Amino acid sequence: MGAMAFIAAAIAVGLGALGAGIGNGLIVSKTVEGIARQPEARGTLQTTMYIGVALVEALPIIGVVLAFIFYAAAGV
């Protein structure tokens, strides 16, 4: 039971970090592309980008919380 909880915790944190990295890359690249097409919309696009990045960054935080729950379930 203990080893499986450690593997589950590692997978939860790893996939959360991977997903956040990909998501942040897409958000920032599309924002830069939008600013290049319409420079006058820079402020609006940046504000929306910051909100999107904050929401994407919630994913690894949830993964870490799940890892702590898995560790607690393992009795460590």
Side-chain angles (χ1 to χ4, degrees), residues 26-36 42 45-46 48-49:
L26 289 173
I27 289 170
V28 172
S29 71
K30 295 300 180 178
T31 301
V32 170
E33 185 178 314
I35 291 171
R42 179 179 181 197
L45 290 172
Q46 278 186 335
T48 305
M49 180 194 72

Side-chain angles (χ1 to χ4, degrees), residues 2-17:
M4 294 300 287
F6 292 134
I7 292 171
I11 290 172
V13 172
L15 289 178

Side-chain angles (χ1 to χ4, degrees), residues 1 17 26 33-34 40 46 56 70:
M1 173 70 179
L26 289 173
E33 185 178 314
E40 68 276 2
Q46 278 186 335
V56 168
F70 293 145

